[in-house]
Amino acid sequence: MVGPRRVHAHVRGVVLAAGEGRRMGMPKALVRTADGRTWLGRTLDALADGGCDDLVAVIGARAVHVQAELRTAGEISPGRRRGGGPEVLVATDWREGMGASLRAVLEQGPGDGSVDAVLVMLVDLPDVGPDVVRRVLDHVDGAEARGAVLARATYDGRPGHPVLIGRDHWGPMAATLSGDDGGRHYLAEHGATLIECGDLATGRDQDTPTRTPGPE
């Protein structure tokens, strides 16, 4: 079970879920798990259970359908999030790639100024759960300058998500984003701290439907 946070930086959890999922055959935000949750709902739960203060879902393809799913009873857990659910941000230029979705978040700004960092997660990471989120959040909770933090999870040394971006980096990183880059060059050039999580998950994304075994 994920324990409570001892020091509490204000970290906004962000799910990037705007793509059309061509290889999946549908937007990954709308794919369902075996228990009926959408992948978007699953990922929002992981961020909330891991300790993020509030949540943002970045959507694009079939945005109306995704928003309808978020309003469906049982899809989200109202008691654990400010305002009863995630903020929904529609990235109108989502076809440009992941970089456009992340740029939309970073250009949104710090809101009331209380947000120290954003924790960015992809929607298609089936085994990245609250324990990984909590480990990455520990980094910002322990930082002297929380707005300057820059870190990402790694899995047996392989860079992955979630990615932690302190508010000092929002503008500079947004200016570099394009296509499907997703900020990896910025993270490398600015010495992002690598937080090993390979003991908790594989961190691998899922791009195609799970095959159901046929009869032998």
Side-chain angles (χ1 to χ4, degrees), residues 167-183:
R167 60 183 296 158
D168 295 352
H169 294 281
W170 294 355
M173 178 180 277
T176 70
L177 296 174
S178 63
D180 276 322
D181 176 8

Side-chain angles (χ1 to χ4, degrees), residues 89-129:
L89 178 60
V90 180
T92 56
D93 52 355
W94 60 268
R95 291 179 178 83
E96 295 180 14
M98 187 193 310
S101 296
L102 181 54
R103 186 171 63 241
V105 172
L106 299 181
E107 289 179 344
Q108 185 184 42
D112 62 3
S114 67
V115 179
D116 296 301
V118 293
L119 186 74
V120 180
M121 184 99 103
L122 304 183
V123 73
D124 59 353
L125 305 175
D127 71 345
V128 177

Side-chain angles (χ1 to χ4, degrees), residues 17-21 24-32 40 58-71 88 90-91 94-95:
E20 62 184 328
M24 184 63 65
M26 64 188 300
K28 294 178 181 179
L30 294 172
V31 178
R32 293 193 180 276
L40 179 53
V58 185
I59 65 176
R62 295 178 61 183
V64 173
H65 294 86
V66 176
Q67 287 175 305
E69 287 289 350
L70 285 172
R71 289 191 296 267
V88 176
V90 180
W94 60 268
R95 291 179 178 83

Side-chain angles (χ1 to χ4, degrees), residues 132-149:
V132 174
V133 172
R134 173 64 274 167
R135 183 173 291 180
V136 178
L137 288 181
D138 282 343
H139 179 72
V140 66
D141 281 345
E144 292 185 7
R146 293 172 177 172
V149 297

Side-chain angles (χ1 to χ4, degrees), residues 9-41:
H10 186 163
V11 181
R12 177 171 293 159
V14 176
V15 182
L16 300 185
E20 62 184 328
R22 282 178 292 180
R23 294 176 61 189
M24 184 63 65
M26 64 188 300
K28 294 178 181 179
L30 294 172
V31 178
R32 293 193 180 276
T33 65
D35 62 3
R37 288 184 300 168
T38 64
W39 283 12
L40 179 53

